[in-house]
Amino acid sequence: MNKFLFVSVPLIEAQYPSAAYGSLQPIIQKNNLSAEFVDINIKLKQEMSEEMFDDLNNWSMFASSTIQEDTLSHYLDAVDRYLISKLDKTVEWIGISVLSYFSARPTTALLKHLQSKNIHTKILLGGNGLSSKLPESNNQEYGEWCLDQGLCDFAIFGEGELALDNLLKENTQYPGINNPMFEQVRDLDRIEDPDYSGIKWDEYQDPRIMITSSRGCVRHCTFCDIATVWPKFSYRSAERVVNEIKESVHRYGLTKFEFTDSLINGSVTNFDRFNDLLANEKERDPALKDVTYTGQFICRNQSKMPERTYELMHYAGCKQITVGIESFSERVRHHIKKKFSDADIEYHLEMCARWNIPNVFLMIVGYPTETLADHQANIRALHRYKKYSDSGTIFMMRWGFTMHIYDGTPISSMSDDLQITTLGVDNSDSVYNWVSALNPSNTLPERIRRRLELHELRVELGYAMPGANKELLAMLEIAKNYSGKNNTFFPKVESNG
């Protein structure tokens, strides 16, 4: 039987394997191919020094415009050892997951390396990163540019399951194959349950099974491009999701689950049903007793999410939720279209504290409309919510770097209204280095200053900050990158290591 090699490249989380492999393996197998997972990302995490892996990450995330020669050499050597060494007459396809914008640079390096080795195996790209635009793509979407450059044979834009099935059946006219005019799958119950057989779970730091209950989002936040892939929010039946969890526990022996959803509570009714069913199944089946799940979540008001919802989450095994708060300024959140108030945040935290549901808050520093007064609202909130950090209800606040403006997001289309100008000529500048004439004090140096001030206050107040050092080092790379480009508005940055 011929093979389909599914390749996972940086930059993705190294704690657990790709969800895409599990989702696509049933499609590959029913088309008379055997699937094999080649996770170059985890191999690099295991082999590289921390400094080298950080260098790879910063380059992948466009925090740095360059990558050290030794780092790139190590990466391509891993491609030789873990991918090219497997290529024989039985390998019919190489499928590369370009999960996001941050996988584009490593993918380009890999594709050019394969080209230099004169590899003729059919190469397929898929993933949300295909819609990205890079400096070298000349304003083309990344997937189209790779096709035009002859770096791949096929690219699947949008959702992959039905498109891959059609491609393997040689129906190359199916929407999304080699063109971005894809169609969203509205009935997710049509899609087969994932198959994670072949995964070496012991290679991962925190192995868990990825599971999908919905796609799309009920919000249309200005900084987010989710709606370009999934214009409509759709979800699977609660019964299907619980059944998948039960079968996965018995098949793989794992009890940790991570939802891939943009939000697990998009439909509160279906979410309540899921939690109720799962809690009941845990009562009946001893093998499910230790089942826990994590996922992304939206803050809602009490009328939409009464205490009963949080109670059901607790008994179903909700271990942690990641919530996009973005800003503690209501004015900023209103512009983002978050649609919840300060009172809603207070209610949410009170419920999570009562039902022991830890939160990771995702935050943005320097949103285009953010003023110094809005920044002060963030500072006041850190003092106000210290009690929830001390108790573990706020497990972590992730402030990231500073506000990025991605092409294709609503905020990028609002550039004229907000009088946003990007500074510099390369892509890292167009992402990080911008200024709004309506809010001219919100410059990149000021955004970095605010980010550092928030970091110092979190240290003072004792907030947990896993990974904070790497975030700060990445921001230093950003600062050094811009200060070295003769930008008179940005002072030279000196580093003592």
Side-chain angles (χ1 to χ4, degrees), residues 219 265 297-306 310 321 323-325 327-328 330 333 338-353 359 361 384-385 388:
R219 298 283 185 263
N265 60 331
F297 193 89
I298 56 171
C299 183
R300 292 183 181 272
N301 62 40
Q302 185 172 359
S303 65
K304 295 288 180 63
M305 282 193 53
Y310 292 91
I321 52 177
V323 186
I325 297 294
S327 175
F328 291 114
E330 281 193 337
R333 289 200 309 274
K338 274 294 175 182
K339 298 185 178 180
F340 56 84
S341 67
D342 289 349
D344 297 333
I345 297 175
E346 295 278 1
Y347 166 73
H348 170 76
L349 285 170
E350 180 185 346
M351 290 296 101
C352 288
N359 284 244
F361 278 5
R384 185 164 66 251
Y385 296 137
Y388 291 113

Side-chain angles (χ1 to χ4, degrees), residues 94-331:
I94 298 172
I96 300 171
S97 175
V98 190
L99 180 65
S100 73
Y101 188 78
F102 297 146
S103 293
R105 276 179 166 173
T107 298
T108 300
L110 183 151
L111 293 174
K112 289 184 175 180
H113 188 63
L114 292 178
Q115 201 172 60
S116 73
K117 298 283 186 176
N118 204 26
I119 302 297
H120 296 295
T121 307
K122 286 183 285 191
I123 297 175
L124 167 67
L125 304 183
N128 291 347
L130 297 190
S131 62
S132 304
K133 293 180 180 178
L134 307 184
E136 59 266 39
S137 67
N138 299 318
N139 213 37
Q140 273 185 296
E141 290 194 355
Y142 179 65
E144 292 182 297
W145 178 80
C146 287
L147 288 165
D148 288 350
Q149 296 296 310
L151 293 173
C152 64
D153 301 286
F154 298 96
I156 290 179
F157 296 80
E159 294 164 306
E161 292 91 349
L162 300 184
L164 178 60
D165 189 34
N166 277 270
L167 176 60
L168 296 180
K169 289 179 169 57
E170 299 186 353
N171 176 18
T172 58
Q173 302 307 306
Y174 188 83
I177 297 176
N178 285 1
N179 70 79
M181 304 303 292
F182 58 86
E183 293 179 359
Q184 181 180 356
V185 179
R186 295 301 309 278
D187 182 6
L188 295 184
D189 286 331
R190 291 175 58 195
I191 296 174
E192 299 177 55
D193 288 349
D195 180 357
Y196 288 102
S197 58
I199 294 288
K200 297 177 180 177
W201 298 101
D202 59 355
E203 290 192 335
Y204 297 90
Q205 297 171 353
D206 188 13
R208 63 190 70 180
I209 297 172
M210 307 302 286
I211 190 166
T212 299
S213 67
S214 68
R215 288 176 177 169
C217 189
V218 296
R219 298 283 185 263
H220 291 88
C221 299
T222 56
F223 62 84
C224 181
D225 64 352
I226 289 295
T228 63
V229 181
W230 297 295
K232 300 291 185 181
F233 176 73
S234 56
Y235 56 89
R236 298 168 65 199
S237 67
E239 289 80 2
R240 278 285 305 272
V241 177
V242 171
N243 188 61
E244 183 181 328
I245 288 176
K246 288 167 55 181
E247 291 187 357
S248 295
V249 170
H250 288 283
R251 184 173 184 182
Y252 308 114
L254 295 175
T255 56
K256 286 185 178 182
F257 291 84
E258 171 97 10
F259 280 95
T260 67
D261 306 36
S262 299
L263 70 171
I264 54 178
N265 60 331
S267 166
V268 178
T269 301
N270 197 57
F271 184 54
D272 283 350
R273 174 126 182 96
F274 158 76
N275 284 303
D276 197 17
L277 287 170
L278 182 55
N280 287 330
E281 289 296 329
K282 292 175 73 171
E283 290 272 335
R284 295 191 187 100
D285 186 346
L288 304 180
K289 176 175 64 74
D290 295 327
V291 164
T292 61
Y293 72 83
T294 59
Q296 296 189 91
F297 193 89
I298 56 171
C299 183
R300 292 183 181 272
N301 62 40
Q302 185 172 359
S303 65
K304 295 288 180 63
M305 282 193 53
E307 183 171 357
R308 174 64 174 159
T309 295
Y310 292 91
E311 180 183 7
L312 288 170
M313 291 167 66
H314 170 80
Y315 286 112
C318 182
K319 185 180 180 181
Q320 186 180 92
I321 52 177
T322 299
V323 186
I325 297 294
E326 317 311 346
S327 175
F328 291 114
S329 162
E330 281 193 337
R331 193 186 72 85

